[in-house]
Amino acid sequence: GAVVSQHPSRVICKSGTSVKIECRSLDFQATTMFWYRQFPKKSLMLMATSNEGSKATYEQGVEKDKFLINHASLTLSTLTVTSAHPEDSSFYICSARDVKNIQYFGAGTRLSVL
Amino acid sequence: AQKVTQAQTEISVVEKEDVTLDCVYETRDTTYYLFWYKQPPSGELVFLIRRNSFDEQNEISGRYSWNFQKSTSSFNFTITASQVVDSAVYFCALSEGRAAGNKLTFGGGTRVLVKP
């Protein structure tokens, strides 16, 4: 099956700093990638849709200036959590959609903001 | 609006027992896709199956089987002869297709615990 790599798997940072998370589709091209947030023992909440070469589409209630998304190539999307605060601590997971419209997911990034 | 309901939050079984996970969905579209994903303790979501709304054929893949019934808007998943490695959270998801951006709406997930 298709492989999506997400890096880093875990990050601990100080409050006020910015954190960048990368999502790469390794064996297929993805014009569309998605970013989700998952709270403990909860389901996945879609944050935004990342489109190659254009601006991301954010879900209602998600601050676009807080969560910057860049999709500069057909295999890479990045999520930057700017000026992170403890309430941003969460599990962030990305997916890449293939030509069959199946989303393949990365292994997730656990962010802890101190 | 689309919605996916997984009524069972947690199921505990003993190894070799069968376990069925329920999934009920709501959508106004006639064209849609249904998915099942597995999330083991490591965190990544593993794609298991996709079924489109026009294909009601049931499917079997090894110990996994899926029962899709449009009449009851359900897409249930059965693990036969469960194993400890099946312990994970299983998510059912719905996509309404291109017009809706192919976004996935997830159910709340069912945690399956298989005891030896």
Side-chain angles (χ1 to χ4, degrees):
Chain A
V3 180
V4 175
S5 172
Q6 186 171 341
H7 179 80
S9 59
R10 187 178 183 94
V11 58
I12 302 172
C13 70
K14 292 182 179 180
S15 187
T17 60
S18 295
V19 174
K20 180 185 282 189
I21 303 169
E22 291 187 350
C23 182
R24 294 179 185 273
S25 54
L26 296 186
D27 51 0
F28 68 102
Q29 293 183 330
T31 55
T32 304
M33 294 184 176
F34 301 85
W35 287 95
Y36 296 84
R37 183 172 180 174
Q38 186 178 29
F39 292 100
K41 297 191 176 182
K42 296 292 184 182
S43 189
L44 282 77
M45 181 191 78
L46 178 65
M47 298 174 65
T49 302
S50 172
N51 303 297
E52 189 266 335
S54 64
K55 291 183 179 181
T57 304
Y58 290 82
E59 295 299 300
Q60 195 171 13
V62 178
E63 299 176 60
K64 62 180 181 181
D65 295 330
K66 173 76 169 175
F67 299 100
L68 299 179
I69 292 172
N70 184 276
H71 193 155
S73 77
L74 288 171
T75 59
L76 174 64
S77 175
T78 60
L79 169 68
T80 301
V81 183
T82 62
S83 187
H85 290 285
E87 58 265 29
D88 298 324
S89 298
S90 192
F91 188 66
Y92 294 88
I93 190 164
C94 72
S95 72
R97 189 176 71 202
D98 73 355
V99 293
K100 295 181 180 179
N101 284 328
I102 296 172
Q103 289 186 33
Y104 293 94
F105 286 79
T109 298
R110 190 162 302 282
L111 171 64
S112 299
V113 184
L114 305 178
Chain B
Q2 56 191 30
K3 183 179 178 182
V4 177
T5 301
Q6 294 179 254
Q8 306 143 308
T9 55
E10 188 164 325
I11 301 175
S12 183
V13 296
V14 176
E15 208 169 17
K16 297 184 182 178
E17 287 184 346
D18 296 348
V19 57
T20 295
L21 311 181
D22 298 333
C23 173
V24 174
Y25 62 92
E26 295 176 29
T27 177
R28 295 178 182 173
D29 276 15
T30 56
T31 301
Y32 53 89
Y33 299 88
L34 295 163
F35 300 78
W36 275 96
Y37 286 89
K38 173 183 179 179
Q39 186 177 39
S42 52
E44 81 276 19
L45 265 76
V46 178
F47 167 75
L48 296 179
I49 191 173
R50 183 189 74 165
R51 179 51 50 92
N52 74 55
S53 52
F54 297 108
D55 183 3
E56 284 193 76
Q57 246 188 343
N58 291 329
E59 185 160 338
I60 298 175
S61 177
R63 295 184 297 107
Y64 294 168
S65 62
W66 291 270
N67 182 284
F68 176 29
Q69 294 201 350
K70 288 180 74 171
S71 60
T72 56
S73 297
S74 65
F75 186 42
N76 297 339
F77 171 34
T78 297
I79 303 173
T80 303
S82 60
Q83 300 176 0
V84 173
V85 292
D86 295 326
S87 296
V89 179
Y90 292 86
F91 290 98
C92 180
L94 166 72
S95 170
E96 284 183 330
R98 193 173 301 277
N102 295 113
K103 295 189 290 187
L104 286 176
T105 296
F106 284 88
T110 298
R111 183 176 301 274
V112 173
L113 177 61
V114 182
K115 299 177 182 177

